[in-house]
Amino acid sequence: MPSLPRNKSPEVLLERTMFTVSPEIYAEYLARFDAPAQPNDRLKRTMSTKAPWDEPTSPG
């Protein structure tokens, strides 16, 4: 197998990563993944902040 350039190594490793977990851990993961987000201060602040593209721009 030819050697890969160093800058491609992490990308190749990430493409080949597989996680093996017990059925119980996987079920817990799915439950948390499917659950709605729990509001917290950071989420509330993010959702109430205007996006830069929503703010009016000054001419010029």
Side-chain angles (χ1 to χ4, degrees):
M1 178 175 180
S3 63
L4 296 170
R6 284 186 184 207
N7 61 350
K8 288 295 243 180
S9 297
E11 183 179 318
V12 170
L13 290 174
L14 287 173
E15 288 175 3
R16 296 181 184 199
T17 300
M18 183 170 86
F19 297 94
T20 305
V21 296
S22 70
E24 295 81 15
I25 297 294
Y26 185 62
E28 182 178 342
Y29 165 77
L30 289 180
R32 289 181 183 215
F33 188 74
D34 290 337
Q38 296 299 314
N40 59 41
D41 290 338
R42 187 173 181 182
L43 178 60
K44 290 175 188 174
R45 187 171 56 248
T46 299
M47 297 306 290
S48 64
T49 302
K50 278 192 155 193
W53 53 85
D54 289 337
E55 298 194 8
T57 59
S58 59

XYZ file of all heavy atoms in Angstrom:
479
model
N 0.857 -1.182 0.000
C 0.000 0.000 0.000
C 0.893 1.232 0.000
O 1.786 1.362 0.833
C -0.894 -0.030 1.238
C -1.778 1.147 1.383
S -2.890 0.891 2.805
C -3.767 2.387 2.728
N 0.654 2.160 -0.910
C 1.481 3.372 -0.951
C 1.228 4.231 0.276
O 0.134 4.230 0.830
C 1.033 4.085 -2.227
C -0.296 3.522 -2.555
C -0.343 2.145 -1.968
N 2.248 4.943 0.705
C 2.075 5.801 1.879
C 1.254 7.033 1.502
O 1.329 7.528 0.392
C 3.436 6.225 2.441
O 4.124 6.988 1.472
N 0.454 7.476 2.440
C -0.406 8.633 2.221
C 0.291 9.885 2.715
O 1.051 9.842 3.685
C -1.713 8.463 2.986
C -2.597 7.307 2.546
C -3.715 7.110 3.550
C -3.168 7.581 1.175
N 0.012 11.014 2.087
C 0.567 12.266 2.622
C 0.060 12.479 4.042
O -1.048 12.099 4.392
C 0.009 13.342 1.683
C -0.479 12.623 0.482
C -0.764 11.214 0.893
N 0.868 13.087 4.861
C 0.495 13.282 6.273
C -0.803 14.039 6.442
O -1.583 13.758 7.339
C 1.603 14.016 7.017
C 2.760 13.145 7.324
C 3.739 13.889 8.167
N 4.896 13.032 8.353
C 5.689 13.112 9.382
N 5.480 14.011 10.292
N 6.712 12.303 9.473
N -1.061 15.016 5.594
C -2.277 15.813 5.771
C -3.546 15.027 5.448
O -4.633 15.424 5.816
C -2.226 17.096 4.938
C -2.104 16.822 3.456
O -1.879 15.695 3.019
N -2.229 17.872 2.669
N -3.456 13.902 4.777
C -4.619 13.082 4.474
C -4.849 11.999 5.529
O -5.917 11.407 5.585
C -4.453 12.404 3.111
C -4.582 13.335 1.939
C -5.972 13.876 1.861
C -6.637 13.445 0.600
N -7.985 13.934 0.463
N -3.875 11.731 6.359
C -3.987 10.637 7.324
C -5.199 10.755 8.240
O -5.948 9.787 8.381
C -2.708 10.534 8.154
O -1.624 10.226 7.316
N -5.447 11.888 8.898
C -6.626 11.976 9.780
C -7.932 11.733 9.020
O -8.831 11.064 9.516
C -6.573 13.397 10.326
C -5.150 13.804 10.184
C -4.645 13.097 8.962
N -8.005 12.245 7.803
C -9.220 12.061 7.011
C -9.457 10.573 6.713
O -10.570 10.077 6.855
C -9.084 12.833 5.699
C -10.300 12.785 4.816
C -10.097 13.582 3.543
O -9.538 14.688 3.622
O -10.503 13.096 2.496
N -8.408 9.877 6.355
C -8.535 8.453 6.058
C -8.920 7.686 7.312
O -9.787 6.815 7.283
C -7.222 7.905 5.452
C -7.252 6.392 5.363
C -6.981 8.522 4.087
N -8.305 8.029 8.441
C -8.629 7.344 9.688
C -10.079 7.587 10.090
O -10.770 6.673 10.530
C -7.689 7.783 10.807
C -6.244 7.299 10.680
C -5.390 7.932 11.763
C -6.188 5.791 10.744
N -10.560 8.819 9.933
C -11.947 9.120 10.290
C -12.933 8.369 9.410
O -13.986 7.943 9.874
C -12.204 10.622 10.202
C -11.590 11.464 11.310
C -11.772 12.944 11.021
C -12.193 11.098 12.648
N -12.592 8.191 8.147
C -13.486 7.468 7.249
C -13.584 5.993 7.618
O -14.546 5.328 7.292
C -12.999 7.594 5.808
C -13.204 8.972 5.228
C -12.616 9.111 3.844
O -12.093 8.121 3.291
O -12.660 10.227 3.309
N -12.584 5.469 8.297
C -12.550 4.044 8.612
C -12.869 3.747 10.076
O -12.712 2.633 10.520
C -11.171 3.484 8.271
C -10.890 3.581 6.794
C -9.567 3.021 6.457
N -9.315 3.233 5.037
C -8.440 2.580 4.349
N -7.697 1.679 4.919
N -8.269 2.823 3.074
N -13.322 4.739 10.807
C -13.611 4.546 12.224
C -14.971 3.899 12.407
O -15.951 4.299 11.789
C -13.578 5.891 12.971
O -12.278 6.446 12.815
C -13.860 5.733 14.436
N -15.017 2.897 13.280
C -16.278 2.239 13.594
C -16.322 2.051 15.102
O -15.328 1.682 15.715
C -16.353 0.881 12.906
C -17.666 0.191 13.130
S -17.868 -1.255 12.098
C -17.072 -2.498 13.089
N -17.474 2.332 15.685
C -17.645 2.189 17.115
C -18.463 0.939 17.401
O -19.521 0.744 16.816
C -18.353 3.414 17.705
C -17.561 4.676 17.529
C -17.794 5.497 16.444
C -16.596 5.023 18.440
C -17.071 6.667 16.279
C -15.861 6.179 18.283
C -16.091 6.999 17.203
N -17.980 0.131 18.292
C -18.709 -1.065 18.700
C -19.115 -0.889 20.151
O -18.264 -0.673 21.010
C -17.820 -2.317 18.555
O -17.345 -2.379 17.213
C -18.594 -3.566 18.866
N -20.429 -0.949 20.404
C -20.945 -0.781 21.763
C -21.994 -1.859 22.028
O -22.507 -2.491 21.105
C -21.563 0.619 21.973
C -20.516 1.708 21.838
C -22.705 0.859 21.021
N -22.331 -2.010 23.282
C -23.342 -2.994 23.667
C -24.720 -2.516 23.201
O -24.932 -1.317 22.984
C -23.346 -3.180 25.182
O -23.856 -2.016 25.803
N -25.659 -3.422 23.069
C -27.023 -3.016 22.689
C -27.631 -2.011 23.672
O -28.368 -1.113 23.262
C -27.809 -4.335 22.699
C -26.779 -5.385 22.469
C -25.527 -4.878 23.135
N -27.296 -2.133 24.961
C -27.832 -1.199 25.963
C -27.282 0.215 25.740
O -28.029 1.196 25.811
C -27.492 -1.668 27.380
C -28.132 -2.982 27.772
C -27.397 -4.225 27.257
O -26.234 -4.114 26.828
O -28.010 -5.305 27.284
N -25.993 0.305 25.485
C -25.386 1.624 25.240
C -25.953 2.231 23.957
O -26.258 3.428 23.896
C -23.847 1.509 25.161
C -23.272 1.036 26.484
C -23.212 2.821 24.708
C -23.436 2.012 27.631
N -26.118 1.422 22.936
C -26.670 1.913 21.677
C -28.101 2.400 21.872
O -28.486 3.454 21.349
C -26.609 0.824 20.607
C -27.045 1.301 19.243
C -26.342 2.311 18.586
C -28.159 0.757 18.627
C -26.752 2.756 17.337
C -28.567 1.198 17.376
C -27.862 2.194 16.739
O -28.274 2.634 15.507
N -28.902 1.674 22.633
C -30.282 2.091 22.914
C -30.300 3.419 23.663
O -31.123 4.302 23.370
C -31.007 1.010 23.708
N -29.391 3.589 24.625
C -29.308 4.853 25.361
C -28.901 5.993 24.430
O -29.445 7.094 24.495
C -28.312 4.738 26.512
C -28.228 5.998 27.343
C -27.271 5.894 28.514
O -26.917 4.760 28.899
O -26.886 6.955 29.039
N -27.949 5.727 23.543
C -27.515 6.726 22.560
C -28.703 7.161 21.700
O -28.931 8.359 21.507
C -26.394 6.157 21.691
C -26.125 6.962 20.451
C -25.429 8.150 20.518
C -26.607 6.539 19.210
C -25.194 8.902 19.370
C -26.381 7.279 18.074
C -25.677 8.463 18.157
O -25.458 9.203 17.034
N -29.452 6.195 21.182
C -30.596 6.526 20.338
C -31.642 7.324 21.102
O -32.228 8.272 20.557
C -31.225 5.253 19.762
C -30.409 4.531 18.693
C -31.159 3.292 18.228
C -30.107 5.444 17.525
N -31.881 6.965 22.346
C -32.865 7.688 23.154
C -32.435 9.145 23.352
O -33.247 10.067 23.227
C -33.057 7.000 24.502
N -31.161 9.346 23.639
C -30.673 10.722 23.830
C -30.667 11.492 22.511
O -30.948 12.687 22.473
C -29.268 10.712 24.432
C -29.250 10.282 25.867
C -27.851 10.321 26.419
N -27.823 9.829 27.777
C -27.014 10.304 28.696
N -26.162 11.250 28.403
N -27.050 9.810 29.910
N -30.322 10.803 21.438
C -30.276 11.440 20.121
C -31.671 11.879 19.680
O -31.844 12.943 19.101
C -29.677 10.455 19.105
C -29.406 11.050 17.761
C -28.344 11.919 17.570
C -30.204 10.731 16.686
C -28.081 12.461 16.326
C -29.961 11.263 15.434
C -28.895 12.139 15.254
N -32.683 11.062 19.965
C -34.053 11.357 19.554
C -34.780 12.314 20.495
O -35.800 12.884 20.116
C -34.861 10.063 19.447
C -34.413 9.207 18.267
O -33.823 9.753 17.321
O -34.649 7.979 18.306
N -34.277 12.494 21.698
C -34.936 13.366 22.672
C -34.802 14.829 22.238
O -33.796 15.230 21.652
C -34.302 13.175 24.048
N -35.826 15.640 22.506
C -35.716 17.067 22.165
C -34.637 17.741 23.014
O -34.327 17.293 24.115
C -37.100 17.624 22.501
C -37.726 16.632 23.420
C -37.089 15.303 23.141
N -34.074 18.780 22.465
C -33.041 19.527 23.188
C -33.627 20.115 24.463
O -34.761 20.602 24.477
C -32.488 20.641 22.309
N -32.866 20.048 25.533
C -33.293 20.633 26.798
C -32.835 22.090 26.830
O -31.639 22.362 26.701
C -32.679 19.864 27.976
C -33.142 18.423 28.060
C -34.643 18.314 28.264
O -35.223 19.007 29.089
N -35.272 17.459 27.482
N -33.764 23.022 26.972
C -33.372 24.433 26.997
C -32.395 24.718 28.141
O -32.562 24.231 29.247
C -34.682 25.182 27.219
C -35.754 24.215 26.852
C -35.200 22.854 27.126
N -31.369 25.473 27.817
C -30.437 25.954 28.825
C -30.068 27.383 28.442
O -30.478 27.873 27.390
C -29.209 25.034 28.942
C -28.449 24.918 27.640
O -28.263 25.895 26.920
N -28.001 23.710 27.318
N -29.322 28.052 29.283
C -29.004 29.461 29.034
C -28.303 29.662 27.697
O -28.614 30.591 26.958
C -28.154 30.035 30.171
C -28.942 30.190 31.452
O -30.191 30.266 31.379
O -28.319 30.236 32.531
N -27.367 28.804 27.379
C -26.617 28.965 26.136
C -27.529 28.784 24.922
O -27.462 29.560 23.968
C -25.466 27.970 26.094
C -24.547 28.169 24.926
C -23.352 27.271 25.042
N -22.471 27.487 23.921
C -21.358 26.832 23.714
N -20.973 25.919 24.583
N -20.615 27.070 22.677
N -28.397 27.777 24.948
C -29.323 27.556 23.843
C -30.298 28.724 23.716
O -30.551 29.214 22.618
C -30.084 26.245 24.040
C -31.121 25.910 22.962
C -30.475 25.790 21.589
C -31.856 24.629 23.326
N -30.829 29.198 24.832
C -31.757 30.337 24.806
C -31.079 31.570 24.222
O -31.670 32.294 23.413
C -32.270 30.635 26.207
C -33.219 29.576 26.735
C -33.602 29.879 28.178
C -34.389 28.744 28.793
N -34.659 28.947 30.209
N -29.841 31.829 24.629
C -29.098 32.986 24.119
C -28.856 32.837 22.613
O -29.045 33.783 21.846
C -27.771 33.122 24.875
C -27.003 34.380 24.550
C -25.801 34.601 25.455
N -24.871 33.473 25.448
C -24.648 32.650 26.476
N -25.290 32.820 27.612
N -23.780 31.670 26.380
N -28.480 31.648 22.177
C -28.226 31.416 20.761
C -29.492 31.616 19.935
O -29.470 32.259 18.881
C -27.684 29.988 20.540
O -26.455 29.857 21.250
C -27.457 29.691 19.066
N -30.595 31.087 20.414
C -31.839 31.164 19.657
C -32.441 32.568 19.651
O -33.239 32.897 18.777
C -32.860 30.166 20.212
C -32.424 28.724 20.073
S -31.970 28.241 18.396
C -33.564 28.264 17.619
N -32.073 33.418 20.603
C -32.633 34.766 20.650
C -31.702 35.811 20.034
O -32.074 36.976 19.931
C -32.959 35.151 22.096
O -31.785 35.201 22.865
N -30.521 35.412 19.603
C -29.570 36.338 18.989
C -29.857 36.450 17.498
O -30.037 35.449 16.822
C -28.119 35.839 19.192
O -27.880 35.719 20.583
C -27.111 36.785 18.571
N -29.916 37.687 17.005
C -30.141 37.893 15.579
C -28.911 37.450 14.796
O -27.784 37.700 15.200
C -30.406 39.360 15.277
C -31.822 39.788 15.508
C -32.039 41.158 14.913
C -33.497 41.312 14.595
N -33.749 42.442 13.754
N -29.155 36.850 13.668
C -28.064 36.452 12.779
C -27.512 37.702 12.097
O -28.273 38.644 11.824
C -28.570 35.467 11.745
N -26.231 37.735 11.809
C -25.654 38.919 11.163
C -26.357 39.280 9.851
O -26.496 40.446 9.524
C -24.199 38.517 10.899
C -23.919 37.434 11.880
C -25.235 36.722 12.106
N -26.812 38.297 9.111
C -27.467 38.579 7.843
C -28.890 39.086 8.012
O -29.506 39.555 7.056
C -27.455 37.354 6.928
C -28.012 36.131 7.560
C -29.316 35.751 7.643
C -27.268 35.126 8.247
N -29.445 34.578 8.321
C -28.182 34.157 8.709
C -25.917 34.927 8.500
C -27.798 33.032 9.417
C -25.536 33.794 9.209
C -26.471 32.871 9.653
N -29.452 39.023 9.230
C -30.784 39.548 9.492
C -30.757 41.013 9.908
O -31.800 41.646 9.969
C -31.484 38.735 10.591
C -31.878 37.348 10.110
O -32.014 37.152 8.890
O -32.057 36.466 10.964
N -29.597 41.526 10.205
C -29.483 42.914 10.651
C -29.316 43.823 9.444
O -28.672 43.463 8.466
C -28.313 43.049 11.616
C -28.533 42.201 12.862
C -27.590 42.542 13.988
O -26.851 43.533 13.887
O -27.612 41.800 14.966
N -29.921 45.019 9.518
C -29.808 45.944 8.392
C -28.366 46.395 8.183
O -27.586 46.501 9.132
C -30.686 47.132 8.809
C -30.845 47.010 10.279
C -30.657 45.561 10.637
N -28.015 46.603 6.945
C -26.667 47.085 6.621
C -26.727 48.560 6.300
O -27.717 49.061 5.776
C -26.073 46.320 5.415
O -26.956 46.507 4.299
C -25.919 44.843 5.718
N -25.653 49.246 6.618
C -25.607 50.683 6.315
C -25.122 50.869 4.883
O -24.257 50.129 4.408
C -24.688 51.391 7.301
O -23.401 50.855 7.217
N -25.680 51.845 4.181
C -25.245 52.085 2.786
C -23.804 52.595 2.784
O -23.363 53.295 3.671
C -26.204 53.154 2.282
C -26.873 53.740 3.477
C -26.717 52.753 4.599
N -23.102 52.235 1.760
C -21.797 52.828 1.598
C -20.709 51.921 1.609
O -19.648 51.833 1.478
